[in-house]
Amino acid sequence: EEAEIDGHSLHLDYEINDSLTLKSITAYREMKWQDLLDIDGSPIDAFHSGRDIDYDQTSQELQLVGSTDNLNYVLGLYYFEESADVFNPITFFGVFGAPVSPNAYGLDSESKAIYGQVDWTPEALEKLTVTVGARYTEESKDQYISHPVVNGDPAQGFAGDADDEWNSFAPAVTLSWQFNESISAYARYAEGWKSGGFNGESGTLESFQRAYDPEEVASYELGLKS
């Protein structure tokens, strides 16, 4: 396998005043990947597979970061897009002259999010910090698949596309108690999310067009820092 990856980012900070800053984070990444796999593991061409991938992604994030006497906060907007094309040739029993199956798949994906987080220390309880945050995300995917006819058998060939969209609201709450300068304890609850999608290496068009569901997680954490 061989990979070539390029990534670039630009960070800009603008200080509106002593307690308020606007941040911009722009990023771009691209990847070219090639691999070949001798799946049968024998000296003959019984089952070989390869992937030639061309991928790129772009993201833009804006953050408003501020503070008061007993409050720290961040508000943000996030945008992400990616595209990928995968050439996936497979040979079954190439040693007997079977042709290569020139399979391919690819996707275009877009994600948008708005989020915020606040750290609050009550004046009457300076050892306590309450952190509350949330993120709302919308994501969409448009994907295609192509399995051309091999050996003239129409039943072996199929092609098509699929698309879907998902959204999520993920909150988080943390309570932290500072016993002294070197010891603190905290309790945290948070939810996380990862969007669904489509299996680009499905064996049939029907299975490809059945999107897999998003992943959701709820986490509970107790900690001591010293």
Side-chain angles (χ1 to χ4, degrees), residues 36-50:
L36 288 172
L37 181 60
D38 181 5
I39 298 175
D40 59 84
S42 71
I44 62 175
D45 182 4
F47 184 15
H48 287 181
S49 175

Side-chain angles (χ1 to χ4, degrees), residues 104-107 141-147 158-163 197-212:
Y105 56 91
L107 65 82
K141 291 184 179 179
D142 189 350
Q143 193 160 330
Y144 71 87
I145 192 170
S146 174
H147 279 237
F158 63 90
D161 52 35
D163 63 85
F198 304 92
N199 180 9
E201 298 189 6
S202 297
T204 66
L205 181 60
E206 290 75 16
S207 63
F208 166 75
Q209 291 178 329
R210 287 196 299 268
Y212 53 82

Side-chain angles (χ1 to χ4, degrees), residues 58-226:
T58 304
S59 65
Q60 174 63 50
E61 187 167 3
L62 295 175
Q63 295 182 349
L64 191 63
V65 183
S67 63
T68 64
D69 292 339
N70 61 345
L71 200 71
N72 295 315
Y73 63 88
V74 57
L75 302 173
L77 295 173
Y78 180 77
Y79 177 78
F80 171 88
E81 64 178 10
E82 64 179 345
S83 63
D85 293 290
V86 182
F87 178 56
N88 179 216
I90 297 176
T91 60
F92 291 97
F93 302 110
V95 65
F96 300 118
V100 175
S101 177
N103 307 318
Y105 56 91
L107 65 82
D108 289 300
S109 178
E110 182 182 65
S111 181
K112 295 173 285 187
I114 181 171
Y115 63 89
Q117 182 166 296
V118 176
D119 296 335
W120 174 56
T121 301
E123 293 183 3
L125 288 173
E126 294 184 351
K127 293 182 179 292
L128 174 67
T129 299
V130 180
T131 301
V132 179
R135 182 185 185 98
Y136 177 75
T137 306
E138 293 182 349
E139 187 160 323
S140 62
K141 291 184 179 179
D142 189 350
Q143 193 160 330
Y144 71 87
I145 192 170
S146 174
H147 279 237
V149 175
V150 178
N151 290 333
D153 181 4
Q156 295 185 10
F158 63 90
D161 52 35
D163 63 85
D164 208 338
E165 57 186 30
W166 303 268
N167 62 74
S168 166
F169 177 77
V173 179
T174 304
L175 301 177
S176 176
W177 186 269
Q178 190 78 37
F179 292 101
N180 53 48
E181 291 183 356
S182 59
I183 300 177
S184 67
Y186 67 92
R188 175 174 170 82
Y189 171 79
E191 295 182 7
W193 178 82
K194 182 179 181 181
S195 72
F198 304 92
N199 180 9
E201 298 189 6
S202 297
T204 66
L205 181 60
E206 290 75 16
S207 63
F208 166 75
Q209 291 178 329
R210 287 196 299 268
Y212 53 82
D213 292 333
E215 298 177 31
E216 298 178 350
V217 63
S219 66
Y220 305 83
E221 186 175 356
L222 293 174
L224 181 70
K225 296 181 178 181
S226 64

